[in-house]
Amino acid sequence: MRSRRQLDVASEEFNAEVARLDPLHLDADLRRLPKLNETADVDALTRVLGEALPTEERVAGFTLPECLAAMRDLGMYLGSLKRHGVVAFDVLPDAGVPFELLGRRTRLIPRDTVYHYTSWNPPGERERLYTGHAMERGLIGAVRTCVPELARALEAGRSLCAADPRRSGHDDDWACLVACLGAVDATMKRVLLGVSPEFFARELRPYFEDVRVAGRLYMGPAAAHIPLFLVDVLLWASDRGGAEYLAFCDEVAAHTLPDWRDRYAEWRASPSLASRYAEALEDSLSPDETRHVQAGARALREALRTLASFRGKHLVMARRAYQEELRLYELGSGGGSTELLDEILALTRQNHAAFGPTAAR
């Protein structure tokens, strides 16, 4: 029995290890994938996928990084075929078995995720691309940058969740969380400037359609599945989120990493930091306790401000990509609507306003 390793997307070493692997020997075929997609060569896509499917014995012999790399590469053909109206498991009835086996080995869903498509996707000439367009590379690179930042933010959040707002010692965790969110917001600004709504809506979005594996639908490797929703749940959404958004979070959580699924279950059932700090601000506190609570409340306000800034940019991009005359789909690649994004932004701003200068002074 092989030892279980952690899927550490914050580790450059782990990500690089997965990225350099080609366990199914698909490097040469994947360089031709954008051309096959351009010509909608379904027969060739089906042939390559069918020949690449690993046996049960082969999957059992893979290391964890090899399992991740194999799912990454198989997923590129799964998404490509679906984009051209073909369900891989219909034309290749035995294909579901290796997808399920790889999912079990990695404790992930039985298809590729946003982490396969970005964090574990090799940059440069070996990069796995649906279209080969520079804007696709730019989007992958942006998410590849954001995911480790969010992983660090979640580690800081883990400490904050376990801490007493009335005690000292939280400044570094708050500073880390705010800085990481700032980096994600800055990356979103570059995406807004560098990825056109026409390209995303018409060219890239069709590759992120859901597929049914073993009777259940799983969404494609959408950027919307990065763990920003988990930051929301920690900071405000667990007990201040609307029913639609929390249902969306429940669905997206199934597509994230195992440790983050556990974190989500814990934080979803706990008071948010916004509620905890709001309650602490109403308590009768000593001068030292008041100082610590107010410092945390100011940091929380800044985190919420940065979240709102990101959400505003995301909403602008989504509205452009899903305007009626341009869109091919009603819902975003992550399963949400622009109306839901509007609600998330409004709630984030509402919680930010609740910790205004007077409350956090």
Side-chain angles (χ1 to χ4, degrees):
M1 182 74 175
R2 294 177 182 269
S3 61
R4 177 173 290 171
R5 294 177 62 185
Q6 184 177 3
L7 305 183
D8 186 4
V9 290
S11 166
E12 292 183 7
E13 292 78 12
F14 183 80
N15 293 339
E17 180 183 1
V18 178
R20 71 174 175 79
L21 294 171
D22 180 26
L24 304 179
H25 309 295
L26 284 170
D27 271 358
D29 288 294
L30 282 160
R31 288 191 188 96
R32 296 190 288 270
L33 181 61
K35 185 63 176 178
L36 297 183
N37 280 325
E38 182 183 349
T39 58
D41 193 339
V42 169
D43 289 341
L45 291 168
T46 303
R47 175 183 54 77
V48 175
L49 176 59
E51 292 175 354
L53 292 170
T55 63
E56 183 174 351
E57 293 74 21
R58 195 173 177 197
V59 172
F62 282 161
T63 63
L64 173 61
E66 286 172 332
C67 285
L68 296 171
M71 183 67 91
R72 173 198 67 207
D73 293 348
L74 294 176
M76 296 300 296
Y77 290 94
L78 182 69
S80 295
L81 283 168
K82 188 64 186 292
R83 185 262 179 274
H84 301 299
V86 176
V87 178
F89 307 116
D90 290 343
V91 294
L92 296 167
D94 295 332
V97 174
F99 277 87
E100 291 180 62
L101 290 172
L102 289 168
R104 284 200 291 271
R105 283 289 312 277
T106 58
R107 299 172 63 213
L108 293 165
I109 62 170
R111 70 159 299 173
D112 53 322
T113 68
V114 65
Y115 311 106
H116 295 88
Y117 183 51
T118 60
S119 300
W120 302 320
N121 192 346
E125 64 177 16
R126 292 183 57 241
E127 195 160 38
R128 278 64 170 130
L129 301 165
Y130 295 114
T131 70
H133 198 287
M135 282 192 250
E136 183 182 5
R137 290 186 185 275
L139 186 60
I140 291 173
V143 179
R144 194 186 278 130
T145 298
C146 285
V147 169
E149 294 288 351
L150 287 171
R152 285 186 280 272
L154 293 174
E155 280 308 300
R158 190 176 194 175
S159 297
L160 292 168
C161 192
D164 184 342
R166 299 168 298 176
R167 303 287 182 257
S168 63
H170 315 324
D171 292 353
D172 288 347
D173 290 319
W174 275 119
C176 176
L177 191 149
V178 170
C180 291
L181 291 181
V184 173
D185 183 41
T187 302
M188 187 64 204
K189 181 177 181 180
R190 293 195 292 272
V191 170
L192 192 60
L193 294 173
V195 179
S196 75
E198 293 81 8
F199 171 75
F200 183 81
R202 295 281 179 170
E203 300 296 328
L204 195 57
R205 169 67 179 84
Y207 292 99
F208 301 143
E209 275 293 87
D210 52 24
V211 296
R212 190 175 297 277
V213 186
R216 177 174 174 180
L217 279 175
Y218 295 95
M219 292 183 281
H225 292 165
I226 63 173
L228 203 66
F229 74 96
L230 194 46
V231 176
D232 282 341
V233 168
L234 168 72
L235 294 184
W236 62 272
S238 69
D239 52 7
R240 296 173 175 227
E244 184 181 0
Y245 183 40
L246 289 173
F248 171 83
C249 290
D250 290 344
E251 179 65 20
V252 173
H255 292 69
T256 198
L257 304 180
D259 285 352
W260 289 347
R261 290 199 302 270
D262 294 341
R263 198 83 50 84
Y264 175 73
E266 175 189 345
W267 290 352
R268 177 77 157 79
S270 303
S272 66
L273 289 178
S275 291
R276 291 173 59 193
Y277 273 88
E279 181 179 352
L281 287 167
E282 296 295 323
D283 287 344
S284 298
L285 304 172
S286 70
D288 279 348
E289 290 174 332
T290 298
R291 186 170 63 255
H292 299 320
V293 171
Q294 288 180 344
R298 286 192 295 271
L300 174 59
R301 175 178 166 81
E302 180 61 17
L304 291 168
R305 184 201 65 77
T306 308
L307 265 182
S309 177
F310 174 93
R311 293 293 186 188
K313 295 179 183 68
H314 186 200
L315 181 58
V316 167
M317 185 172 184
R319 281 176 172 163
R320 291 173 180 172
Y322 290 94
Q323 56 188 302
E324 190 170 352
E325 60 271 24
L326 186 62
R327 71 189 182 199
L328 299 176
Y329 304 90
E330 290 286 337
L331 297 179
S333 53
S337 64
T338 54
E339 291 78 16
L340 177 59
L341 293 179
D342 206 0
E343 177 189 332
I344 296 168
L345 175 58
L347 287 170
T348 307
R349 286 174 170 166
Q350 177 181 313
N351 281 281
H352 169 259
F355 289 90
T358 301
R361 187 167 55 203

